[in-house]
Amino acid sequence: MEISPTLLINNITRERIQNGLETYKLGFGQSPFPVPELLTENLRQNAHQKDYLHPQGLIPLREKIAQYYSERFQVESKEDQILVGPGSKELLFLTQLMADRDLILPSPNWVSYSPQANLIKKQTHWIKTKIENKWNLSASDLEEFLLKSGKDKKYLLILNYPNNPTGQSFDQSELAAIAEIAYKYDLLIISDEIYAEFKFDNNHFSLARLCPEKTIICSGLSKWCGAGGWRLGYMIFNEHQKSLLQKIVAAGSETYSCASAPIQYAAISAFENGPEIRNYTTVCRSILKATHDRMISDLDRNKIEYLPAKGGFYVFIRFKKPKQAFLTDLELCNQLLKKEGVALLPGSCFGYSDKALTARLSFVDFPNLDFNYFLQNPDLVTSLSNNYYNYIKTAIFRINEY
């Protein structure tokens, strides 16, 4: 077991910068935005909260999460169907541990799902996606795999949308086809919707609306509240999944005990979704979309193949005609970092073929971002720091040199 590739690329780029080497940080995907002041003030006010909380999470927080999902995404649940833990990554791991099913993943997909399965000796079955299908898992490919494996085999499928690393998402008809397969083959699906608030058209549609009995929603504060280090994640289970929920709660009680009490109290205000939070997410979303749109105008379609993202922080690119021969995407990305100072993550880190010469480009390293200025002047988002645009334009120019 090796360190997560996303954390590794962050360490490498930090060391390069400390050593005075010119570096363009397009590899690590941490939210660039500050935690909303409303949450930080509530954290200060609740710093005295020292008692252990229930391993399922603070009831007032779970009630607010249920209300938020009902109003924001039309997903109905009750507080006893919600699990709060120390980050969505921990909850994903415990769900894999307790579900007793092998894992199905579209390729490419987020870097940690499969290593988590490896830790608990579960097999990962990859289903390759194609750019022609927007890098999305197709229902026909999913059914083909399930027919070959036999109906007696039970699987857990993880879908992440908007997706890391591709930036793509599913439309309602695609999700409806997958929902039909889920019922037909008794699939359990984790719908990882951690980038839902950053879908550029502000119109995220959850799979849980189509097959609630088969879907577990997973999310957290790390993206839409810029609070990765707070480690606050949550899952929403259907009433038919209560047995699995209680098993995960029991496992949590023996591992993390509970998520941090002060952070749980502070997080309540995020899910009240008042004017300050709505303005915050609107400005974040606008900054991401404006940056994405200007960035992709610089991508050379003759050398780099890509699809415009639907949301999140990333574009997945494929090198069509590199100037020199590379056997693998890792070799290409290593040379790009060494020779040009541009840090990308190879597509093979996300379960894609290393011979395909793909990579994830992350566009959220905003140098000296004055976020409060844009909170106060949201109409000026499109004028975001020409220094940043020059930074990323230079990086893309250097990528095109390969």
Side-chain angles (χ1 to χ4, degrees):
M1 181 60 62
E2 299 178 350
I3 187 171
S4 166
T6 51
L7 298 180
L8 181 61
I9 195 69
N10 193 43
N11 292 340
I12 291 172
T13 53
R14 185 186 295 117
E15 289 175 4
R16 283 180 58 90
I17 292 170
Q18 289 174 347
N19 291 329
L21 298 174
E22 187 177 31
T23 305
Y24 296 86
K25 296 168 59 178
L26 307 184
F28 191 52
Q30 178 172 283
S31 170
F33 307 118
V35 178
E37 179 58 31
L38 177 63
L39 269 68
T40 57
E41 177 57 32
N42 286 345
L43 183 59
R44 283 190 286 268
Q45 293 176 6
N46 284 283
H48 66 281
Q49 302 285 0
K50 68 179 186 63
D51 293 337
Y52 286 100
L53 301 177
H54 193 285
Q56 190 169 341
L58 187 68
I59 289 178
L61 174 57
R62 288 189 272 139
E63 289 174 339
K64 289 298 182 182
I65 293 173
Q67 179 183 346
Y68 168 77
Y69 268 81
S70 174
E71 296 174 353
R72 186 74 178 91
F73 301 118
Q74 295 76 57
V75 174
E76 301 300 327
S77 64
K78 300 176 182 177
E79 59 84 14
D80 63 349
Q81 296 169 232
I82 293 170
L83 169 61
V84 175
S88 59
K89 185 182 284 190
E90 176 72 14
L91 298 181
L92 285 161
F93 174 72
L94 290 181
T95 303
Q96 287 205 58
L97 177 66
M98 305 311 295
D100 195 27
R101 292 168 176 243
D102 280 350
L103 180 63
I104 297 175
L105 288 180
S107 166
N109 225 311
W110 183 52
V111 297
S112 289
Y113 301 135
S114 184
Q116 287 186 352
N118 293 340
L119 281 171
I120 54 179
K121 312 301 181 185
K122 298 286 183 68
Q123 188 173 359
T124 300
H125 303 271
W126 294 95
I127 301 178
K128 185 179 178 180
T129 66
K130 308 177 184 70
I131 193 170
E132 294 78 14
N133 291 334
K134 303 182 297 183
W135 304 114
N136 282 343
L137 175 67
S138 72
S140 59
D141 286 347
L142 176 60
E143 183 164 34
E144 181 182 352
F145 168 81
L146 293 169
L147 283 170
K148 288 180 180 178
S149 66
K151 282 197 172 184
D152 292 335
K153 189 75 173 176
K154 302 300 181 186
Y155 291 101
L156 170 67
L157 168 67
I158 302 181
L159 294 179
N160 169 224
Y161 59 101
N163 181 263
N164 176 3
T166 69
Q168 299 304 305
S169 195
F170 292 96
D171 61 35
Q172 188 172 337
S173 63
E174 292 172 316
L175 291 174
I178 290 173
E180 184 177 339
I181 299 298
Y183 281 119
K184 185 175 180 179
Y185 294 91
D186 189 25
L187 270 180
L188 180 63
I189 303 176
I190 295 178
S191 185
D192 185 348
E193 303 177 20
I194 201 158
Y195 294 96
E197 282 287 6
F198 289 162
K199 190 163 185 280
F200 295 154
D201 65 4
N202 194 25
N203 190 28
H204 176 77
F205 189 95
S206 176
L207 178 66
R209 293 176 60 183
L210 300 172
C211 55
E213 299 89 351
K214 300 298 182 185
T215 305
I216 302 167
I217 294 176
C218 180
S219 192
L221 294 185
S222 61
K223 311 305 178 189
W224 69 283
C225 282
W230 282 34
R231 309 312 306 138
L232 197 289
Y234 53 91
M235 283 181 155
I236 303 175
F237 294 77
N238 184 263
E239 289 184 350
H240 293 80
Q241 302 158 352
K242 285 286 186 70
S243 175
L244 175 59
L245 168 59
Q246 292 309 315
K247 289 178 182 178
I248 299 169
V249 171
S253 73
E254 299 292 356
T255 50
Y256 61 76
S257 295
C258 66
S260 165
I263 286 174
Q264 289 198 58
Y265 280 98
I268 291 173
S269 57
F271 296 97
E272 291 174 341
N273 201 30
E276 183 174 336
I277 295 297
R278 289 198 302 272
N279 184 46
Y280 172 92
T281 53
T282 297
V283 170
C284 291
R285 190 185 308 115
S286 298
I287 289 174
L288 291 171
K289 186 178 187 309
T291 305
H292 165 271
D293 291 351
R294 187 159 174 180
M295 176 194 72
I296 64 173
S297 69
D298 292 322
L299 287 170
D300 182 353
R301 291 178 182 272
N302 294 320
K303 292 184 179 180
I304 299 174
E305 192 173 19
Y306 71 98
L307 293 176
K310 302 296 185 182
F313 304 164
Y314 316 106
V315 169
F316 199 62
I317 63 176
R318 182 162 62 186
F319 292 83
K320 295 171 64 177
K321 299 175 182 178
K323 283 187 175 180
Q324 61 187 91
F326 294 102
L327 295 177
T328 67
D329 56 6
L330 179 60
E331 180 184 346
L332 188 156
C333 288
N334 282 343
Q335 283 297 306
L336 189 60
L337 181 58
K338 182 178 179 181
K339 300 295 186 181
E340 302 291 341
V342 179
L344 301 174
L345 268 185
S348 55
C349 292
F350 304 94
Y352 212 70
S353 169
D354 62 355
K355 303 297 190 297
L357 302 185
T358 58
R360 187 190 76 177
L361 189 161
S362 175
F363 53 89
V364 288
D365 180 41
F366 297 104
N368 305 314
L369 174 67
D370 186 355
F371 185 74
N372 287 328
Y373 173 79
F374 292 108
L375 275 179
Q376 296 164 14
N377 301 277
D379 294 339
L380 300 180
V381 161
T382 53
S383 68
L384 175 65
S385 177
N386 282 327
N387 288 335
Y388 177 66
Y389 287 128
N390 290 334
Y391 170 92
I392 199 166
K393 185 173 184 176
T394 301
I396 292 173
F397 173 79
R398 294 184 177 204
I399 291 170
N400 278 332
E401 288 300 294
Y402 271 64

